[in-house]
């Protein structure tokens, strides 16, 4: 779907989201657009890498790389060849909370594309050759990431913030775990997790509601009705105020930092979202960039963000800077964290943030796939089918009083946990890295 078409749709009229329910009871949210012969589908199965069995982290991730490597009567070469020949895009990803899939196809290849999707999620083959190949690819990636300062810092921060919780496990696994995963493990994940009661679907493009109803049944009714029951405990955010240094002989240190945050369904979420934009989420217009980069030239990149996972939320951030400048950069970040907590944003900052966040919202409508992803997210977070029409009003409703109250609630500089990977000068660790954090 062309950007210009989508901007017109978003600005000139409300985007019409239809709730489609097939005769077999499969629900999807649909945005029709017949200006281009393209269809995009996004799906989610609730339950992701945080459900990997003890001792086998990386199972969901490995499944995500294999379900389209041969399914039903088609081996890997035939399956992938069909995708290529028909210009069908099909990919899967495993996150901590969810397992996602994306399908993009030309209208003329619609039926075959949906058939391939059905095969991938209901009858993956897990033949020896692709299993060995994908396993080798994952192991090679893990080997590279073991030396990557950014990956080391972010993984260690997660271990510190989520002690003794499934969120602390490495999503892509460990070398030993990946080596130990069997074909039966892979089949068990698909059997236990891919089911209609955990399915969410969003569709955008050149398809009518009645056409979609038929395809929903043919594609998803073959799935089991219910997944294996599961539960994830709420995370107790840990290690408030710790500073960990992982020594690495590199000229520039990488820093990841975080504290307990705010969930997506919290009534204060939109205020926190706006305030974070002002602190460190707004690029060159943010306070952190202004103080750390623009005024002092300490770092090229410095940022903050909200990370509202289903069972534990963080406010996090990061910076990369020369080793001798790490301490000064951290002092400034803490100062800005404190200043935001103590005084909140100014009225001018709030007004500018709200203008940008509402004015730039239509730019998210840049492709059919992105809109389909938004439709899935709206269902996952129970935002309502009219969210696309209502979202800007939630941002506009944030008052200066709201922003300052929420800033004081959310930002707790004494709770900031910091991980530094590098050879920082004059930075003293307060504890050792957790096992597996380096």
């Amino acid at each position: 779907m062309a950007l210009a078409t989508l901007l017109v749709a978003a600005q000139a009229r409300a985007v019409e989201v239809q709730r489609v329910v097939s005769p077999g009871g499969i629900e999807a949210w649909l945005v029709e657009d017949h200006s281009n012969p393209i269809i995009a589908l996004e799906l989610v199965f609730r339950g992701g890498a945080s459900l990997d069995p003890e001792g086998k982290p990386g199972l969901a991730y490995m499944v995500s790389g294999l379900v389209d490597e041969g399914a039903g009567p088609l081996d890997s070469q035939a399956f992938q060849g069909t995708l290529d020949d028909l210009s069908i895009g099909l990919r899967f990803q495993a996150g901590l909370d969810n397992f996602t899939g994306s399908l993009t196809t030309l209208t003329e290849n619609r039926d075959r594309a949906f058939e391939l999707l059905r095969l991938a999620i209901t009858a993956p083959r897990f033949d020896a050759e692709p299993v060995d190949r994908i396993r080798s690819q994952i192991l090679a990636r893990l080997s590279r990431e073991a030396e990557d300062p950014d990956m080391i810092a972010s993984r260690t921060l997660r271990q510190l913030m989520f002690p003794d919780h499934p969120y602390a496990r490495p999503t892509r696994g460990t070398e030993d775990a990946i080596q130990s995963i069997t074909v039966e493990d892979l089949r068990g994940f698909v059997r236990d997790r891919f089911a209609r009661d955990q399915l969410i679907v969003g569709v955008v493009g050149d398809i009518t509601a009645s056409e979609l109803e038929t395809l929903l049944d043919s594609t998803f009714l073959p799935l089991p009705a219910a997944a294996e029951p599961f539960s994830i405990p709420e995370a107790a955010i840990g290690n408030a105020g710790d500073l960990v240094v992982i020594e690495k002989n590199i000229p520039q240190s990488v820093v990841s930092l975080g504290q307990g945050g705010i969930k997506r369904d919290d009534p204060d979420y939109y205020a926190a979202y706006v305030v974070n934009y002002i602190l460190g989420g707004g690029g060159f217009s943010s306070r952190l960039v202004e103080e750390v980069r623009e005024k002092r030239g300490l770092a090229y990149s410095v940022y903050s963000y909200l990370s509202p996972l289903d069972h534990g939320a963080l406010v996090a951030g990061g910076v990369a800077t020369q080793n001798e400048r790490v301490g000064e950069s951290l002092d400034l970040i803490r100062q800005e964290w404190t200043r935001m907590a103590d005084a909140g944003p100014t009225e001018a900052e709030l007004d500018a943030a709200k203008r940008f966040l509402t004015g730039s919202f239509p730019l998210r409508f840049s492709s059919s796939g992105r809109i389909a992803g938004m439709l899935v997210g709206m269902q996952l977070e129970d935002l309502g089918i009219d969210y696309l029409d209502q979202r800007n009003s939630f941002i506009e409703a944030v008052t200066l009083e709201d922003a300052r109250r929420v800033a004081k609630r959310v930002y707790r500089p004494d709770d900031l946990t910091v991980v530094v990977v590098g050879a920082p000068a004059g930075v003293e660790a307060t504890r050792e890295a957790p096992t597996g954090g380096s």
Side-chain angles (χ1 to χ4, degrees):
M1 193 178 292
L3 175 59
T5 302
L6 285 161
L7 288 175
V8 169
Q11 294 170 346
R13 62 174 177 82
V15 175
E16 182 183 356
V17 181
Q18 304 176 60
R19 178 176 180 265
V20 177
V21 181
S22 73
I26 308 296
E27 178 178 347
W29 287 10
L30 168 67
V31 172
E32 288 189 46
D33 181 79
H34 302 286
S35 60
N36 286 297
I38 298 171
I39 301 166
L41 177 146
E42 294 282 326
L43 66 86
V44 164
F45 292 108
R46 297 183 185 89
S50 58
L51 293 174
D52 285 347
E54 191 72 33
K56 295 199 176 183
L59 175 59
Y61 180 69
M62 193 167 175
V63 169
S64 72
L66 280 164
V67 288
D68 62 350
E69 288 283 349
L74 304 176
D75 65 13
S76 177
Q77 184 174 359
F79 195 99
Q80 289 291 317
T82 304
L83 293 176
D84 289 342
D85 290 344
L86 299 180
S87 298
I88 297 169
L90 181 62
R91 67 183 188 277
F92 297 89
Q93 291 183 303
L96 283 171
D97 290 319
N98 303 299
F99 190 100
T100 65
S102 302
L103 175 71
T104 306
T105 182
L106 297 171
T107 307
E108 63 183 295
N109 299 323
R110 181 191 70 195
D111 292 349
R112 184 57 167 157
F114 276 74
E115 180 186 7
L116 292 172
L117 172 60
R118 173 183 63 80
L119 290 173
I121 61 176
T122 62
R125 290 168 62 114
F126 300 121
D127 292 333
E129 185 279 326
V131 168
D132 291 343
R133 172 164 44 84
I134 296 300
R135 192 193 310 272
S136 295
Q137 291 175 4
I138 295 173
L139 291 172
R141 180 171 185 173
L142 290 175
S143 180
R144 293 192 302 271
E145 290 179 350
E147 299 301 321
D148 185 300
D150 291 287
M151 293 301 303
I152 295 170
S154 62
R155 182 176 67 240
T156 304
L157 181 68
R158 188 142 54 91
Q159 289 179 298
L160 290 166
M161 303 307 292
F162 298 114
D164 303 317
H165 191 275
Y167 284 166
R169 300 174 192 162
T171 304
R172 287 189 279 274
T174 64
E175 291 188 12
D176 288 345
I178 294 300
Q179 291 280 24
S180 73
I181 291 173
T182 67
V183 170
E184 283 308 307
D185 293 328
L186 301 168
R187 296 191 189 282
F189 181 93
V190 171
R191 180 187 64 246
D192 294 343
R193 301 271 64 87
F194 292 1
R196 301 197 301 272
D197 67 331
Q198 301 300 330
L199 175 69
I200 295 174
V201 180
V203 180
V204 175
D206 186 27
I207 187 170
T208 65
S210 60
E211 291 169 336
L212 180 58
E213 287 178 5
T214 300
L215 288 167
L216 289 174
D217 277 353
S218 64
T219 305
F220 299 114
L221 272 183
L223 288 167
E228 189 71 17
F230 66 90
S231 64
I232 300 293
E234 288 298 303
I237 307 300
N239 295 290
D242 283 328
L243 193 155
V244 169
V245 176
I246 299 175
E247 294 287 343
K248 199 167 183 62
N249 187 23
I250 50 178
Q252 178 170 276
S253 291
V254 171
V255 180
S256 289
L257 51 90
Q259 54 146 101
I262 188 167
K263 286 193 176 182
R264 185 63 179 81
D265 60 357
D266 192 293
D268 284 335
Y269 177 81
Y270 291 101
Y273 181 71
V274 175
V275 171
N276 176 72
Y277 175 87
I278 295 166
L279 176 64
F284 285 102
S285 63
S286 72
R287 287 184 179 182
L288 291 181
V289 170
E290 175 69 17
E291 295 298 324
V292 176
R293 171 176 167 156
E294 296 301 305
K295 287 185 178 180
R296 297 169 178 85
L298 296 175
Y300 178 78
S301 173
V302 58
Y303 55 90
S304 68
Y305 60 94
L306 304 181
S307 178
L309 296 167
D310 286 355
H311 304 285
L314 300 180
V315 183
V319 66
T321 188
Q322 295 176 7
N323 288 323
E324 62 271 16
R325 310 183 96 174
V326 172
E328 185 179 358
S329 297
L330 279 174
D331 287 344
L332 285 167
I333 291 171
R334 287 193 176 100
Q335 287 173 25
E336 290 307 312
W337 221 267
T338 300
R339 185 160 73 96
M340 184 61 81
D342 289 347
T346 66
E347 187 168 6
E349 286 176 322
L350 180 63
D351 289 344
K354 289 163 67 173
R355 281 196 304 272
F356 178 84
L357 292 171
T358 55
S360 63
F361 185 57
L363 297 178
R364 297 190 184 184
F365 297 74
S366 58
S367 70
S368 299
R370 290 194 70 181
I371 301 173
M374 293 173 71
L375 297 180
V376 165
M378 288 157 57
Q379 295 173 76
L380 265 177
E381 302 294 344
D382 196 25
L383 299 178
I385 202 165
D386 62 346
Y387 174 76
L388 297 180
D389 296 332
Q390 299 298 320
R391 183 267 188 185
N392 277 354
S393 68
F394 301 143
I395 300 295
E396 291 164 349
V398 176
T399 66
L400 186 61
E401 180 182 1
D402 292 332
R404 289 176 172 171
R405 173 181 56 80
V406 172
K408 187 176 295 292
R409 173 193 168 191
V410 171
Y411 293 97
R412 302 183 298 278
D414 290 342
D415 287 353
L416 271 178
T417 295
V418 179
V419 178
V420 183
V421 179
V427 175
E428 296 294 330
T430 62
R431 62 159 290 172
E432 295 182 355
T435 303
S438 60

